[in-house]
Amino acid sequence: MCGIVAAVSARNIVSVLVEGLRRLEYRGYDSCGVAVHQGGGLRRARSTARVAELAANVAAEGLEGGTGIAHTRWATHGAPVVHNAHPHFSHGPGPAAAPRSADASADGGEASGLAGADRIGLVHNGIIENHDELRAELQAKGYEFVTQTDTEVIAHLVDHLNDGDLLEAVQRALPRLRGAYAIAVISRDEPQRVIGARHGSPLVLGVGAVAGASENFLASDAMALAGVTDQIVYLEEGDVVDLQLGKYWISHADAKGDFRRVERSVRTVVAHTGAAELGPYRHYMQKEIFEQPKAIADTLDAVHGVSPELFGDGAYRVFKEIDSVLILACGTSFYSGSVAKYWLESMAKIPTSVEVASEYRYRDSVPNPRTLVVTISQSGETADTLAALKHARSLGMAHTLTVCNVATSAMVRECAMAYITRAGVEIGVASTKAFTTQLVGLFLLTLALAQVRGRLDDAQEAQHLKSLRHLPVAVQAVLALEPQIIAWSEEFASKENALFLGRGMHYPVALEGALKLKEISYIHAEAYPAGELKHGPLALVTAQMPVVAIAPNDALLEKLESNLHEVRARGGELFVFADSDTRIRSGEGVRVIRMPEHYGALSPILHVVPLQLLAYHTAVARGTDVDKPRNLAKSVTVE
């Protein structure tokens, strides 16, 4: 989602800010901008195009300076147009500085020149829920608003409270804000200072590491600072940081609201810059689909046997104590949790519920202190899931575990136990390798719980571990089906609707396949349990509605075949991914791609891969922006 980069340095920092935004492009955005302290005032450039166009605008306008802030925006309040793009300036009470339309570039960019009235510059991730009342209050004080954003109220509020000390102004402003935020603020009158603060949105401090350089950085993601510094401080909820040349201070409000200095540990974080290189692939999504064998192998690298300790110290005691599992997740992660429910109940014999995180905290539920609360998140910063986790804890459910791809994320810090997947950086907005590695982590959790509950003997453990270790080879064989899937995608590209069917633990896989198709190709796609066809969705089936079916050779195969006959009887066109030993054959109105092998309980991990490829190649055929689909963001850090 939105990205922040900021810096205080003795050198010209503009190229670092722009490169930081490039590294955050994978999060999804619809506008971007940079502001610097230059020539005794604040100057900025903004654009509704890509960061590459912003870089050209910055160069053309000659922006340079040692103190600056930069941002990629995913619109929440106000349309994705230039005047709503960050950074925002506060002009003080009275008329705002007139926009310089002469500086607007042909691609929708804007560079505003030196404006003496611009006192505060600010970038913001998150949502300010009480922005309307703050707007009315500030308008009454003479502030004129030039955007439709919730962010502009913060800039004006800081300006209103600023008596010459930017840190004090920000600290006074924060208690007035309701909602989530990570902010970076600069002042025209303090040219070598940036103030940052976080509440509900991630923000990290980068400690200058260049020999002889006096500089410090802020970013919403440590990856933005790759190649600049590997010395990272993960700011905690409620922290405020004061960045100056070669020094910084962190403060935190106590119970009375008074800010006190605090110490936070500095970690060495090696960002994987190679993840941003496409290599021979056309898009990051394609690259990440083909990285799945390695991602799965890496996720299993340290697994030498089934043990609760895979999930942290003390896991055995917790696993013995619990009597149910509650899974909280959003989007693709919710579907991985839905697969895990089948595993946990059939193999570990433990009651499991799966909740959409964005809904869970807003309904009355029945808490059980003996429940294991499991969160699933690719980024570990998903706002809805973090809020749901905190809500579960507030109800007295203290046993928490996360399956997450980022070891340094808020989710890992908030949970008592964790299993870190090793998918590596995932840049494409539509998740692929994060999903399959989540399933690997959840399967290991199932085995560990089954073991503790006396449901897994040595022979079963050995067989499951053998299957897990063979997964990378099995997935590689599925990827070899790509040419056949490309042929199917050419037919899908002309459609506007599609239906996905699955049964049992493959129903969530069907949901994930439908989600992938609609995310990146913009084809309306829905998924149903195949047995539900006759209860409504069959009314939609025509020759213009392709029906994708997942057909593993399991106990539900005969039932699924009956459902497929229902589709053909109504003239529907079937596209079936079938295990090699099923009786389903290609024929009129039926196309079949055979999977290399049946994979038992781990079959969902194999069957989702061709659905990813189908979505990818259909989107390519339709000419959409595969890696950055419209209206979507990678890391959803707002509710």
Side-chain angles (χ1 to χ4, degrees):
M1 196 161 262
C2 303
I4 288 174
V5 190
V8 177
S9 178
R11 58 176 168 143
N12 179 17
I13 210 69
V14 171
S15 63
V16 172
L17 297 176
V18 172
E19 180 59 27
L21 293 187
R22 280 201 185 96
R23 294 187 182 281
L24 295 178
E25 282 191 290
Y26 76 96
R27 296 167 70 97
Y29 67 103
D30 42 45
S31 63
C32 49
V34 175
V36 294
H37 201 287
Q38 182 176 3
L42 303 181
R43 296 188 66 200
R44 69 183 170 190
R46 300 180 291 178
S47 176
T48 54
R50 293 300 183 199
V51 173
E53 284 78 10
L54 174 68
N57 294 344
V58 165
E61 289 292 324
L63 261 65
E64 59 180 43
T67 300
I69 53 178
H71 192 263
T72 52
R73 175 181 185 250
W74 185 79
T76 57
H77 295 69
V81 293
V82 170
H83 71 268
N84 285 331
H86 299 214
H88 289 306
F89 286 170
S90 175
H91 309 281
R100 292 179 55 207
S101 57
D103 291 333
S105 63
D107 63 6
E110 173 226 54
S112 62
L114 181 60
D118 295 331
R119 295 192 293 240
I120 298 295
L122 181 142
V123 291
H124 163 229
N125 291 354
I127 290 177
I128 303 304
E129 295 171 356
N130 60 331
H131 66 95
D132 280 336
E133 61 188 74
L134 290 173
R135 182 185 299 262
E137 176 187 325
L138 289 161
Q139 284 175 328
K141 296 181 185 298
Y143 284 87
E144 182 174 340
F145 284 76
V146 296
T147 82
Q148 290 75 52
T149 69
D150 56 329
T151 300
E152 191 178 6
V153 302
I154 315 176
H156 290 328
L157 181 62
V158 171
D159 180 86
H160 171 63
L161 297 172
N162 188 9
D163 293 327
D165 187 319
L166 183 61
L167 173 63
E168 182 180 317
V170 171
Q171 290 175 334
R172 291 172 61 194
L174 297 181
R176 302 290 315 278
L177 306 178
R178 291 201 309 270
Y181 56 79
I183 60 173
V185 193
I186 56 177
S187 169
R188 178 194 65 192
D189 302 321
E190 298 182 74
Q192 293 180 334
R193 196 179 200 186
V194 174
I195 306 299
R198 65 152 296 195
H199 176 77
S201 290
L203 193 66
V204 303
L205 160 66
V207 181
V210 178
S214 297
E215 55 188 12
N216 288 303
F217 308 89
L218 286 177
S220 49
D221 186 327
M223 186 176 177
L225 304 179
V228 178
T229 180
D230 60 0
Q231 300 300 293
I232 302 296
V233 177
Y234 288 90
L235 299 174
E236 296 187 10
E237 190 84 341
D239 280 355
V240 178
V241 60
D242 183 353
L243 268 66
Q244 298 186 32
L245 274 179
K247 53 191 176 183
Y248 66 87
W249 298 271
I250 301 172
S251 58
H252 192 94
D254 60 21
K256 296 180 180 180
D258 297 325
F259 282 89
R260 308 289 184 190
R261 288 274 178 88
V262 293
E263 297 294 328
R264 303 288 185 229
S265 59
V266 180
R267 305 186 193 184
T268 300
V269 177
V270 180
H272 300 284
T273 57
E277 298 171 3
L278 267 175
Y281 299 100
R282 187 170 176 182
H283 298 94
Y284 287 110
M285 183 178 178
Q286 184 186 30
K287 175 176 182 276
E288 288 154 11
I289 290 172
F290 277 83
E291 285 175 341
Q292 286 176 112
K294 182 180 186 302
I296 291 169
D298 290 347
T299 297
L300 291 166
D301 185 54
V303 177
H304 306 295
V306 174
S307 168
E309 279 63 42
L310 289 170
F311 300 89
D313 295 338
Y316 178 81
R317 176 188 57 80
V318 173
F319 288 4
K320 287 289 286 185
E321 182 178 337
I322 63 168
D323 61 12
S324 62
V325 175
L326 168 63
I327 297 175
L328 303 172
C330 299
T332 285
S333 296
F334 174 77
Y335 297 145
S336 67
S338 300
V339 172
K341 174 182 171 71
Y342 286 89
W343 290 337
L344 287 161
E345 295 197 336
S346 66
M347 298 170 64
K349 302 300 180 185
I350 186 165
T352 301
S353 58
V354 188
E355 296 264 6
V356 174
S358 59
E359 290 291 319
Y360 170 69
R361 66 185 292 224
Y362 296 111
R363 71 171 187 84
D364 292 331
S365 57
V366 182
N368 173 8
R370 297 183 64 188
T371 293
L372 176 64
V373 179
V374 178
T375 63
I376 311 170
S377 173
Q378 182 271 330
S379 67
E381 306 290 349
T382 308
D384 288 313
T385 309
L386 283 167
L389 169 66
K390 293 174 184 177
H391 177 66
R393 284 203 314 240
S394 75
L395 297 177
M397 294 187 283
H399 301 314
T400 58
L401 183 153
T402 189
V403 176
C404 181
N405 191 44
V406 182
T408 54
S409 65
M411 200 75 71
V412 174
R413 297 196 300 272
E414 292 283 344
C415 287
M417 297 172 286
Y419 190 83
I420 308 302
T421 59
R422 309 290 176 186
V425 175
E426 191 177 60
I427 292 176
V429 166
S431 180
T432 52
K433 61 179 179 174
F435 178 75
T436 48
T437 52
Q438 285 171 358
L439 289 176
V440 169
L442 291 164
F443 192 77
L444 287 169
L445 175 62
T446 300
L447 296 181
L449 285 169
Q451 183 188 73
V452 169
R453 296 167 67 84
R455 303 282 182 175
L456 184 74
D457 60 33
D458 291 346
Q460 290 170 322
E461 176 184 343
Q463 183 56 50
H464 286 310
L465 287 173
K466 180 181 178 182
S467 295
L468 281 167
R469 292 188 178 112
H470 182 62
L471 264 177
V473 174
V475 171
Q476 196 67 55
V478 176
L479 292 169
L481 300 173
E482 186 179 34
Q484 298 176 59
I485 295 169
I486 291 173
W488 280 13
S489 71
E490 292 167 357
E491 295 188 53
F492 272 72
S494 63
K495 308 298 183 183
E496 293 303 325
N497 301 280
L499 191 63
F500 287 69
L501 303 177
R503 297 205 72 147
M505 62 184 176
H506 292 86
Y507 166 50
V509 173
L511 286 164
E512 172 63 9
L515 176 64
K516 285 291 155 286
L517 188 66
K518 57 190 161 192
E519 276 183 312
I520 61 171
S521 75
Y522 314 145
I523 293 173
H524 172 247
E526 298 296 336
Y528 284 88
E532 284 294 295
L533 262 178
K534 53 189 173 292
H535 297 291
L538 201 55
L540 296 172
V541 172
T542 70
Q544 296 306 308
M545 166 89 77
V547 178
V548 179
I550 303 165
N553 190 9
D554 59 15
L556 290 170
L557 179 60
E558 288 186 358
K559 297 291 187 184
L560 178 67
E561 287 182 296
S562 296
N563 303 139
L564 301 187
H565 285 301
E566 293 169 358
V567 172
R568 282 301 302 134
R570 275 76 180 178
E573 298 286 318
L574 283 165
F575 296 80
V576 185
F577 292 103
D579 282 352
S580 57
D581 49 0
T582 65
R583 298 182 301 276
I584 301 173
R585 299 286 182 268
S586 295
E588 184 180 355
V590 182
R591 297 164 182 78
V592 178
I593 290 179
R594 300 213 167 275
M595 300 289 285
E597 57 185 303
H598 177 58
Y599 222 66
L602 291 168
S603 174
I605 297 176
L606 295 192
H607 271 278
V608 77
V609 174
L611 302 183
Q612 295 169 348
L613 286 169
L614 179 62
Y616 169 73
H617 286 291
T618 301
V620 170
R622 286 169 69 94
T624 63
D625 191 342
V626 173
D627 289 329
K628 302 181 183 72
R630 67 190 183 203
N631 305 330
L632 299 181
K634 183 64 181 173
S635 179
V636 184
T637 54
V638 298
E639 286 193 70

